Amino acid sequence: MKENRIFTVGVGIVAIMLFALSLGRLLGENAPQKYKISIVVDCSSSAGWDKFRKGLNAASKKYNIEYNFVTTGRFLSIQQEYLSLSREIKNGADGIITELRATEGTGVLLNELGKSTKLELVDCEKEVTDPTVSISSIGVDEEALGEALGKEVLQSNLQNQRLRIGILAGNQNKGNMQKRLDALKKVLEKSEKEIVWIMEDKGQPRKDLEVANHKRSVDIIIALDNDSLEIATRYLRDTGRQFVELYGVGDSDELIYSLDAGMIRSLIVIDQYQMAYSAVVNLWQRLSNSRNTPGDQTVDFYVVRADNMYADGMERILFPTGQ
């Protein structure tokens, strides 16, 4: 009897082990594949990517994605960025989300990269690419954004005066930024506002701003991207020029604080969280051979002022949790 019990127990243990092994294999077969993707953007340490990172975190958790947010400085050329992208492909990235430093000359490079990996573009514009490569992009309606920013400036407390306006135009090598600037200029010029200077980012924006405003001072500064607006905010604070009105595009904590404090009159906030989230989803669909092949998409932007920044729904845009 004792030997029978020992035999029975032994058989039971073996059966449990076989069941566990079979179950493990079954779960392993049914588990979603974990893809590895890389994120390559210009100046990755910029606070302008903070909300974007939170969108990446949320989407990667849901879709079982492992991502590498590549450490980058400022790309001096599209060729330098191409080398960075090629390196990520060589290191085994299944797909890449990237913001192109420039637009001109990118078509050929994207066609080449697209043969080796899946690409998703954010906050930029591309040249025409081979349709078989299937590269989509996510951005904002630049014409609508530029027009909205211009209309905010026309509401200035100084509107009864002949306003002198300076524009920090950011990276004008990007086609989307050119559209943003053109739309803004149309609104201002139609209302016969004087644009005193337009300054592109050539690598030393603070110094260029000081020189430009010393030659011809302005009543209003408009900045077309997060980093330019931060520079303008610090410049006005450091020089005590609190009388200069400030408008622009961005969403960093520094800018939100300056808006709340009244230093920035109006802030255009692009939904960077949704941009990143959608980019991950689109890339996952391509990698998993989903039937729903994504095309180009646009995300919303919001006009935020001190009097509406804590309104229902706006806090979610300004302070996303990343969960």
Side-chain angles (χ1 to χ4, degrees), residues 137-149:
S137 61
I138 302 176
V140 70
D141 185 334
E142 298 290 359
E143 287 84 359
L145 187 154
E147 183 178 344
L149 183 55

Side-chain angles (χ1 to χ4, degrees), residues 57 84 133 137 141 155 162 165 193 197-198 233:
N57 290 338
S84 182
V133 175
S137 61
D141 185 334
Q155 302 302 314
R162 181 170 177 79
I165 298 173
K193 303 303 179 185
W197 45 258
I198 297 176
T233 302

Side-chain angles (χ1 to χ4, degrees), residues 221-259:
I221 293 177
I222 308 171
L224 299 192
D225 62 21
N226 189 93
D227 290 355
S228 296
L229 189 53
E230 285 186 348
I231 288 169
T233 302
R234 296 166 193 166
Y235 168 72
L236 295 182
R237 185 182 297 118
D238 293 345
T239 58
R241 297 172 182 267
Q242 308 293 346
F243 53 87
V244 177
E245 292 191 349
L246 190 56
Y247 300 79
V249 181
D251 64 0
S252 67
D253 290 345
E254 178 181 350
L255 296 182
I256 293 171
Y257 173 81
S258 296
L259 177 70

Side-chain angles (χ1 to χ4, degrees), residues 19 29 37 75-76 124 133 136 174 201 205 231 259 269 285 295:
F19 174 77
E29 291 174 357
I37 67 173
F75 290 121
L76 301 179
C124 62
V133 175
S136 63
K174 297 172 61 175
D201 185 353
I231 288 169
L259 177 70
V269 175
Q285 288 178 331

Side-chain angles (χ1 to χ4, degrees), residues 26-43:
L26 179 63
L27 292 175
E29 291 174 357
N30 293 332
Q33 182 174 349
K34 188 163 190 173
Y35 297 108
K36 296 181 179 180
I37 67 173
S38 294
I39 320 299
V40 181
V41 296
D42 195 42
C43 296

Side-chain angles (χ1 to χ4, degrees), residues 2 8 14 63 76 107 111 134 136 182-183 193 196 229 290 313 318:
K2 184 176 180 181
T8 302
V14 171
Y63 289 90
L76 301 179
N111 286 335
S134 183
S136 63
D182 289 344
K193 303 303 179 185
V196 175
L229 189 53
S290 171
L318 298 179

